Amino acid sequence: MLPRPEPAGLHALRPRARARGSSLYIPSPNGKSKCCSLRPLTFLLAMCILVIFSAGALNPRIPVLAARPGEGMVYPQPKVLTPSREDVLVLTPWLAPIIWEGTFNIDILNEQFRLQNVTVGLTVFAIKKYVVFLKLFLETAEEHFMVGHNVNYYIFTDQPADVPQVPVRPGRRVEVLQVPGAARWQDVSMRRMEMISSFCAQRFLREVDFLVCADSDMRFSNHVGVEILSPLFGTLHPGFYRSAREAFTYERRPQSQAYIPWDQGDFYYMGAFFGGSVPEVQRLTEACHQAILADQAHSIEAVWHDESHLNRYLLGRKPTKVLSPEYMWDEQLLGRPPVMKKLRFLAVPKNHQKIRNR
């Protein structure tokens, strides 16, 4: 607590034998000396130093000023009058960047996030037969996902004994989280929101800074790094990134909590790749879970299950970053149009009916 100021003249009542080493004596016009204690000043100075030091050097999440970002880095100067891409939209109307190849410098971003010493969590659900996709998923993630940064892989599965042993780099680990299975794949899909929200409160808030939520039947085929990180991000659906909002497969029944009218909607987001800071992901998944429960109470199931609720949530609470379809693509169905400079996260060819119904 800061020292209280003394009433005027109180110093004159103190014994004159007090040692002068702790006081400042100021001559007054009448020849007498005034005594002013240095102890409050020393205390204030010490407190300021402690506050500054604890806010920076003692907090690993705040960069230390001595480690200046970009120091010694050489890269092309950004040009205000030269757009990074002219063939695609790179900024939403609410000023969130849309991430395409050519719109970011990964070296600068890696340096920024290393200064913050971030840890990224990657959740993936491998229920029933979907466990067969884990080996390829993890192997390609080790090659392309958040390379050079700390990563916790969170594997949600009803078959923990079948999770493959995939070697991971230093600073990365695999956590197997056993959860119950479900009879229908739709129920597995919708219960993801409940389980992610629950584990955010139980563990993720303490263990990671950002959370990325992905489907297991995918593989990483090119760099996916810190350029995607933001408080809240969604990914454009590869089947609808060229479409008008009237063509989006939103939930159109007003009775559903996922309802979006025909004249509303920004983009159609894929439920297979979304994320953000852990508090934001917790808010998103909890809101979607409660909306699913409200629909179930009225015997309603949204047309695309948790993805429908995700789109409704992101319409009201705009994402702070949007990922282009580079981050969610199916080359077997869609080929590779010229606008796709890189294909980063790809669907694995499979028989959906065979996998989902066993």
Side-chain angles (χ1 to χ4, degrees):
M1 183 173 68
L2 295 179
R4 296 178 180 176
E6 298 182 7
L10 185 60
H11 60 277
L13 300 178
R14 292 185 175 175
R16 294 184 178 274
R18 187 180 64 184
R20 295 193 179 192
S22 60
S23 303
L24 175 65
Y25 285 81
I26 305 173
S28 64
N30 60 11
K32 296 182 179 180
S33 296
K34 292 184 178 179
C35 176
C36 179
S37 175
L38 286 177
R39 289 175 181 171
L41 182 61
T42 304
F43 179 78
L44 283 171
L45 182 60
M47 288 296 293
C48 290
I49 292 172
L50 284 173
V51 168
I52 293 171
F53 188 74
S54 62
L58 294 181
N59 190 342
R61 298 298 179 202
I62 300 177
V64 180
L65 293 179
R68 291 180 292 181
E71 185 175 19
M73 295 180 65
V74 177
Y75 51 85
Q77 177 191 349
K79 303 293 185 179
V80 173
L81 301 181
T82 304
S84 56
R85 291 280 295 263
E86 295 182 327
D87 56 337
V88 292
L89 183 68
V90 299
L91 195 67
T92 70
W94 57 93
L95 302 182
I98 304 177
I99 308 304
W100 300 84
E101 175 64 16
T103 63
F104 60 90
N105 185 314
I106 191 57
D107 295 326
I108 299 174
L109 289 170
N110 275 333
E111 181 68 15
Q112 295 291 319
F113 280 91
R114 284 194 189 102
L115 287 173
Q116 299 174 60
N117 192 31
V118 299
T119 298
V120 180
L122 177 59
T123 69
V124 59
F125 282 74
I127 306 296
K128 300 168 68 174
K129 283 292 182 179
Y130 277 80
V131 74
V132 302
F133 297 109
L134 280 178
K135 186 174 187 298
L136 182 62
F137 180 94
L138 290 171
E139 287 176 344
T140 58
E142 277 299 288
E143 186 177 356
H144 298 294
F145 182 76
M146 300 291 164
V147 175
H149 299 277
N150 301 322
V151 174
N152 290 357
Y153 297 106
Y154 296 112
I155 312 297
F156 290 81
T157 184
D158 59 341
Q159 302 173 69
D162 294 332
V163 174
Q165 299 293 317
V166 175
V168 296
R169 303 168 188 260
R172 301 156 81 97
R173 57 194 175 99
V174 176
E175 298 283 345
V176 178
L177 308 176
Q178 186 168 2
V179 294
R184 301 188 313 144
W185 69 266
Q186 295 93 334
D187 295 323
V188 172
S189 181
M190 287 189 290
R191 288 191 61 196
R192 290 190 308 169
M193 295 297 185
E194 176 188 5
M195 286 185 273
I196 292 173
S197 173
S198 175
F199 274 89
C200 279
Q202 293 178 37
R203 296 185 54 168
F204 302 158
L205 282 167
R206 300 189 306 272
E207 296 180 357
V208 296
D209 303 291
F210 293 92
L211 204 61
V212 179
C213 306
D215 277 6
S216 61
D217 54 342
M218 305 288 296
R219 66 179 178 90
F220 294 90
S221 60
N222 211 308
H223 165 88
V224 177
V226 294
E227 76 280 356
I228 75 173
L229 300 181
S230 183
L232 182 63
F233 72 83
T235 305
L236 299 183
H237 193 295
F240 296 105
Y241 72 101
R242 295 175 180 268
S243 303
R245 58 166 59 131
E246 294 81 9
F248 295 162
T249 54
Y250 290 150
E251 173 55 63
R252 303 298 187 180
R253 292 172 293 174
Q255 298 84 358
S256 172
Q257 297 294 311
Y259 168 63
I260 297 178
W262 291 94
D263 59 349
Q264 294 183 28
D266 302 309
F267 307 108
Y268 191 90
Y269 301 101
M270 192 77 173
F273 204 62
F274 66 91
S277 67
V278 181
E280 283 292 343
V281 172
Q282 184 179 22
R283 278 189 281 270
L284 181 156
T285 51
E286 178 61 21
C288 289
H289 171 54
Q290 293 301 324
I292 290 169
L293 290 180
D295 271 5
Q296 289 175 345
H298 294 89
S299 301
I300 298 172
E301 188 173 279
V303 60
W304 285 108
H305 319 106
D306 56 319
E307 184 174 88
S308 296
H309 291 281
L310 171 72
N311 273 275
R312 181 63 188 86
Y313 183 89
L314 293 179
L315 176 61
R317 194 180 186 96
K318 308 293 189 191
T320 53
K321 189 173 283 186
V322 175
L323 307 187
S324 72
E326 294 174 2
Y327 294 88
M328 178 56 58
W329 194 255
D330 190 325
E331 195 170 14
Q332 186 179 36
L333 292 177
L334 302 170
R336 184 168 184 169
V339 72
M340 297 298 163
K341 307 297 183 185
K342 288 188 177 180
L343 302 181
R344 304 176 185 277
F345 195 40
L346 296 176
V348 175
K350 56 193 160 294
N351 184 323
H352 286 281
Q353 289 298 112
K354 184 178 180 180
I355 291 294
R356 288 174 173 174
N357 296 330
R358 292 181 65 183

